[in-house]
Amino acid sequence: MPTLTPKENYLRLGRGIMPEYVPNPMMMGADGPVVSTGYGELYRAEGQGGFLWQGEGAPPTEWTDMWGAPWVANFETNWQGLPRPFDFVLDDVTKWDKVVKKPDKDVSNIDWIARSKADLDKIDRKQSAVSIQAPCGSFTEFIAFTGYSYGLVALIEEPESVKEMLAYMTDWYKPLVDKHIEYYNPDLVGIGDDTASKYAPFFSLDVYRDIFKPQYARVTEKAKNRNIMIEFHNCGKCELFIPDMIDFGVHYWNPAQTENDLLGIKERHKEFAICGGFDFVPPVGEPVTEDMARQAVRDTIDKYAPGGGYSFGGGFISTADDADQAAKVNEWIRDEARNYGLNFYKKQEALI
């Protein structure tokens, strides 16, 4: 039996300390090292959809987010929301202030003491780390207004206007994030933005530093000043940005996809936790078997977990009409990650 709670074991990663067993922040319940909480509805439009819809009834097929950008989802996207194609509402970023308006939400009368107590009373803080999610997808939201073709050009031709627009949005986000940090006293603060494709970042390091990094740093400033560790979600081949992520306080990076040099990153950055590395793509046309799924988990842990600094993370996503199959496969994955990861370091020590 482990001597460390899931929380203690997971927080070791961000401090550069060897964990007792391989953690998995995707675990829920008693095995879950992290619980996300907070006033999430502040950052969503009413009826807004999202990744792997879990609300009641049929998933929404279109909505306008709280900043005014239109999104759509359908069966082919697995109900993942995407900016509505060919209907981008900002075609001249120099006129962003005519289009982008702060959300029409009354946040002046929130009883932060009562709200935080109600949320935190549901969590065993000895077992699970508390994470609040800070909405700062500056690039993702910008592209929702402009589309990729014009948006990427605007980053080069009109950087000052882009910075003005993003700063305006951060001005609204930051006070709410700061209130969460003050009243929830979280162990972790999570932010995210998808700034890279599978093969390369969408823009240069200079653009990242000039336009986007300042927004991430502003939103997480209070967390960094309080020595609260920061989690950053960034898909794709984004390893170019990792030193700058560390600079503004990031300790955990997910989903750490395998197009990045994960082993090299582990070697270069000892107090930067790799969370993910699970690239499970079954052969086309073949059914996913239990042995196949479990072996993929073991292979991933064998590759990335030695020496610490690693947390398993990932799963299997099927088509929208095969949710039952995905649920079954993901249960195999979670079970194998739990059991194989629990004894991984003990077995390694026995071999030395």
Side-chain angles (χ1 to χ4, degrees), residues 321-347:
D321 62 346
D322 201 11
D324 290 341
Q325 166 75 351
K328 181 169 62 176
V329 174
N330 281 311
E331 182 52 42
W332 296 333
I333 291 170
R334 285 190 294 269
D335 183 67
E336 191 66 28
R338 179 192 301 112
N339 294 320
Y340 193 70
L342 190 62
N343 297 304
F344 181 80
Y345 293 121
K346 291 179 181 177
K347 290 179 180 178

Side-chain angles (χ1 to χ4, degrees), residues 26-102:
M26 299 182 72
M27 290 291 187
M28 303 298 175
D31 294 325
V34 180
V35 176
S36 295
T37 189
Y39 217 169
E41 58 265 39
L42 284 177
Y43 309 122
R44 292 191 299 272
E46 185 175 352
Q48 180 172 332
F51 188 55
L52 298 180
W53 171 253
Q54 296 178 349
E56 295 181 2
T61 57
E62 58 180 282
W63 63 91
T64 299
D65 70 23
M66 65 180 186
W67 291 100
W71 294 70
V72 296
N74 58 27
F75 175 85
E76 284 73 19
T77 69
N78 211 6
W79 307 115
Q80 163 69 59
L82 301 173
R84 190 159 66 201
F86 312 113
D87 188 25
F88 302 111
V89 295
L90 183 59
D91 57 9
D92 182 351
V93 74
T94 65
K95 299 177 181 178
W96 67 266
D97 57 327
K98 308 297 184 187
V99 177
V100 182
K101 304 298 180 183
K102 289 184 179 178

Side-chain angles (χ1 to χ4, degrees), residues 212-253:
F212 297 103
K213 180 181 176 181
Q215 307 310 320
Y216 308 144
R218 281 185 62 202
V219 168
T220 58
E221 178 183 22
K222 192 180 187 73
K224 185 177 181 182
N225 290 343
R226 291 194 175 193
N227 295 316
I228 297 170
M229 290 184 286
I230 297 165
E231 304 171 293
F232 199 102
H233 170 89
N234 201 335
C235 294
K237 189 176 176 60
C238 60
E239 61 185 281
L240 177 67
F241 304 141
I242 285 175
D244 290 86
M245 291 161 60
I246 293 172
D247 183 55
F248 65 80
V250 176
H251 290 79
Y252 298 82
W253 166 46

